[in-house]
Amino acid sequence: MIKRLKRFLWLPIAIIVVISISLGLMGILTAQQPSISHPLTSLTEAEISTAVSVIKREKTLSEMAAFPLIALQEPDKEEVLKFTPGKAFQRKAFLVIYERCLRQGLCTTLNKTYEAIVDLTSKTLNSWKEIPSVQPAIVASEYELATQAFKSDPRWQTAMRKRGITDFNQVKISCWAPGILSKQEEAAGNRLCRGLFYYKGQHWNYYGSPIEGILGTVNLNTGKISSFVDRGIVPFSKENWNYDVKSLGKLLSPLKALKILQPNGASFQIKGNEISWQGWKFRYVMHPRSGLVLYQVTNNDGENIRPVLYRASLSETVVPYGDPDPTWSFRNAFDVGEYNFGSLATTMELGKEIPENGLLLDAVFANGDGEPYVMPGVIGIYERNNGMLWKHYEYGTQRNDVRRSRELVMTMTVAIDNYDYSINWIFHQDGTLEVQNELTGIVLAQGTASENQSADHSYGRLIAKNIVGVNHQHFFNYRLDFDVDGQANSVMEMNVKALPMDDKNPLGNAIAVAENPLTKETAAVRDLDMKSSREWMIVSADKKNMLGAAPGYMLMPGGNSIFLPVERSNIRQRAEFATHHVWVTKYKPTELYAGGDYPNQTQPGQGLPKYIADDESLMGEDIVLWYTMGVTHIPRSEDWPVMPVHRVGFKLVPRGFFSRNPAINLPE
């Protein structure tokens, strides 16, 4: 997965100011970073600089030390829930520090990972500990290191010349986390990445020209290639797969203008990092690993402000590729933990990723050297029309009552090498919160001698001449820390079944619903079942609605898939979170990632399998629901050269939470 190597070399501040002014004149809305008025406010640039300076003052770091992660150390949940405006609160930063050090003879801290917590108020180091035998996410400098290692290696140069490539500058190198390790690699314990190679030639879209048959691995501790295999020459496409307007030539006839206008302004309000809209209120943070995180999601039922979620975010992804060839079988990307999903966010534009009536928000990140920078326009928020919200036509009186539906969407987009994703949090007027992921970008291409579909491509499909799209899957896990009407919650599973014909059901039309509590963590590892329309509810354990039932929120799954790697496969053991659709755990603040804290070169069984090992009670507890959804992608020619958006998601729907349709009293 290539991070853009110059991701952290942004324009000088003066140029950014000029651009911002220009965009403002064009009517494009932007927003500044929120002031520090709440414990869940993102780190500022000054706070990041303070945290790094404290580390460097207290610890002797080598010049090769990297900072793969710098983020807000989330304050204690109870303190946040008790916080009142104007009250003093702690500010701490969490940092991951990696000592790589290329000069092995001079290094005493080679290949070590540390976690630190810095108190930003007192500017002191609260905690410093080594985390043994783990590898943090790849940092930007390592992509260039890997490129230099390959291009200077005689074996790689020979392999390129065998393929008729003598200008090595025409080869684009992508560095992926190593995925599946050999026993020798596991034993050595080095920090590794594997190279993918593309021929650029005269075209900027090099993804259509993969150089196959080569598997090279770089030891990022030494800057040298640790293993190199050339399995033989495979032809690759030399066609122009650029998709700019000039390259495409003839275009479709343009449609007539469609404008989205809000002449009286937007209906949502922003105060710091708090958003309010149509009874909803929540806070947001752009986390460098998880991306867009929502906190303290509440809904006003007209009488009371009621909590729904304390924290909600993408937790982990895994993308396994289904070709057993050794140059492909290692490709199993954990996009969140191996590459820091949030830091790969891309700047959006009004009228493109989000409509013209939207608002773009910036985010503050830190690069691998611990230097803060602002990423402009990486969060989008906007309102949109979504057809009918509710309707009834009465024939007798010819009365027609109908209301239009409006939604509030908060979104981010990321580019992870060839693939692009958007993550959308969608707030509905009927109390529903929806998550929708959008998958697009460029299919990871495989070179082939085939020019038509008559050849056997068991592990993929020919999508263009000399290009196979390899069968693969995308799995996303969301961590949903529910607080439905408070922290005392339980989880219920709903199954629907048709009852057999008998004296009580003579026509065989009876449909019954069974609601069963999931009492322990190991009993709450569950899967979808279409036959029983299975769904899950998080309900209050100590409150009742007006009908005497527990108010709740229901997980309503959308499209999904099953994890296809077979039992005992390495990737199934490393990504065990993807083997089930639902997991439920008792809340622990350190349990944030379904695949474990360090999925890069990880051991099997990390994350959720460990979290449920103590098998705690889920009855009347502060509980977290983890939902996994998957897409099985069998590529098609229409996916090339850039695939149309594929959407997958789920909804959190109120069930007994409101006393009636919460949108019934909307004005016409």
Side-chain angles (χ1 to χ4, degrees), residues 502-606:
D502 56 21
D503 293 342
K504 294 182 179 179
N505 182 30
L507 298 181
N509 66 316
I511 299 173
V513 178
E515 295 185 4
N516 299 309
L518 303 179
T519 59
K520 292 288 194 74
E521 289 178 324
T522 56
V525 181
R526 307 296 292 164
D527 291 303
L528 298 181
D529 185 355
M530 283 185 61
K531 293 183 295 184
S532 62
S533 297
R534 182 172 293 163
E535 294 175 336
W536 296 269
M537 283 199 308
I538 305 298
V539 298
S540 172
D542 57 6
K543 299 197 173 54
K544 300 294 183 182
N545 62 22
M546 63 180 298
L547 300 176
Y553 257 78
M554 178 173 61
L555 171 66
M556 184 179 291
N560 213 318
S561 187
I562 62 169
F563 198 57
L564 291 175
V566 299
E567 296 290 341
R568 302 196 311 276
S569 64
N570 185 292
I571 185 55
R572 193 176 182 91
Q573 295 171 347
R574 291 183 63 223
E576 195 169 343
F577 72 86
T579 63
H580 295 285
H581 298 122
V582 168
W583 307 64
V584 187
T585 60
K586 183 178 177 180
Y587 170 81
K588 290 186 176 68
T590 58
E591 295 178 352
L592 293 174
Y593 304 111
D597 291 344
Y598 295 94
N600 187 13
Q601 300 183 213
T602 190
Q603 294 297 311
Q606 302 301 304

Side-chain angles (χ1 to χ4, degrees), residues 55 61 65-70 94-100 112-117 125 127-129 136 598:
I55 296 294
L61 302 180
F67 294 83
L69 184 69
I70 302 178
F94 173 79
L95 303 91
V96 176
I97 301 95
Y98 179 69
E99 277 283 19
R100 181 173 62 241
K112 291 184 181 294
T113 300
Y114 301 90
E115 289 181 356
I117 296 176
L125 182 60
S127 172
W128 174 271
K129 59 181 178 180
Y598 295 94

Side-chain angles (χ1 to χ4, degrees), residues 225-530:
I225 293 180
S226 59
S227 65
F228 190 85
V229 177
D230 187 345
R231 294 170 56 84
I233 298 172
V234 178
F236 58 81
S237 174
K238 296 181 175 62
E239 292 188 36
N240 181 0
W241 293 113
N242 293 351
Y243 46 87
D244 57 283
V245 171
K246 182 178 179 181
S247 298
L248 293 173
K250 186 178 180 180
L251 302 177
L252 297 174
S253 299
L255 297 172
K256 294 180 181 179
L258 175 63
K259 294 292 183 180
I260 303 172
L261 302 175
Q262 288 187 283
N264 298 321
S267 299
F268 59 85
Q269 295 83 42
I270 301 181
K271 183 179 180 181
N273 68 335
E274 184 180 69
I275 311 290
S276 302
W277 179 83
Q278 286 282 283
W280 288 105
K281 186 176 287 186
F282 62 93
R283 294 186 178 275
Y284 75 90
V285 164
M286 181 63 104
H287 192 279
R289 176 166 173 169
S290 302
L292 196 53
V293 181
L294 304 187
Y295 294 97
Q296 292 188 288
V297 180
T298 64
N299 196 293
N300 189 335
D301 67 2
E303 296 181 0
N304 299 293
I305 296 174
R306 301 169 64 187
V308 177
L309 290 156
Y310 177 75
R311 187 186 191 277
S313 72
L314 178 66
S315 169
E316 190 54 87
T317 70
V318 63
V319 187
Y321 283 84
D323 192 323
D325 185 285
T327 64
W328 274 80
S329 57
F330 76 89
R331 305 185 197 201
N332 302 280
F334 291 74
D335 291 331
V336 174
E338 289 180 335
Y339 304 104
N340 278 341
F341 188 89
S343 68
L344 297 176
T346 54
T347 296
M348 297 180 285
E349 299 178 60
L350 295 181
K352 294 188 177 180
E353 293 90 346
I354 71 172
E356 295 92 333
N357 63 316
L359 172 68
L360 293 173
L361 304 166
D362 303 340
V364 174
F365 292 123
N367 66 19
D369 294 325
E371 300 164 343
Y373 66 97
V374 176
M375 276 285 284
V378 292
I379 304 169
I381 184 167
Y382 62 95
E383 295 173 276
R384 71 183 181 192
N385 188 295
N386 190 40
M388 286 193 301
L389 178 59
W390 59 262
K391 168 188 167 72
H392 180 64
Y393 179 83
E394 178 56 50
Y395 278 99
T397 61
Q398 297 188 7
R399 179 185 176 92
N400 185 38
D401 288 287
V402 62
R403 298 293 186 273
R404 298 291 293 178
S405 172
R406 189 181 296 191
E407 300 171 344
L408 180 71
V409 183
M410 198 163 199
T411 187
M412 63 170 291
T413 61
V414 299
I416 307 177
D417 203 359
N418 53 298
Y419 255 100
D420 295 71
Y421 300 100
S422 77
I423 306 297
N424 301 277
W425 296 90
I426 306 168
F427 294 83
H428 296 255
Q429 291 167 297
D430 66 355
T432 296
L433 174 56
E434 181 179 0
V435 173
Q436 187 180 84
N437 289 6
E438 296 177 316
L439 290 68
T440 181
I442 301 177
V443 172
L444 189 64
Q446 182 183 74
T448 178
S450 302
E451 296 189 359
N452 60 69
Q453 196 63 59
S454 61
D456 178 30
H457 296 290
S458 300
Y459 311 119
R461 290 293 181 270
L462 195 71
I463 57 177
K465 291 182 178 180
N466 302 119
I467 298 176
V468 167
V470 174
N471 302 333
H472 61 282
Q473 296 186 291
H474 301 257
F475 274 80
F476 307 86
N477 180 276
Y478 279 84
R479 181 185 183 274
L480 306 168
D481 179 3
F482 280 95
D483 280 357
V484 178
D485 270 339
Q487 292 174 264
N489 287 175
S490 300
V491 58
M492 307 291 291
E493 180 175 281
M494 292 173 47
N495 289 282
V496 182
K497 66 178 180 179
L499 298 182
M501 294 179 67
D502 56 21
D503 293 342
K504 294 182 179 179
N505 182 30
L507 298 181
N509 66 316
I511 299 173
V513 178
E515 295 185 4
N516 299 309
L518 303 179
T519 59
K520 292 288 194 74
E521 289 178 324
T522 56
V525 181
R526 307 296 292 164
D527 291 303
L528 298 181
D529 185 355
M530 283 185 61

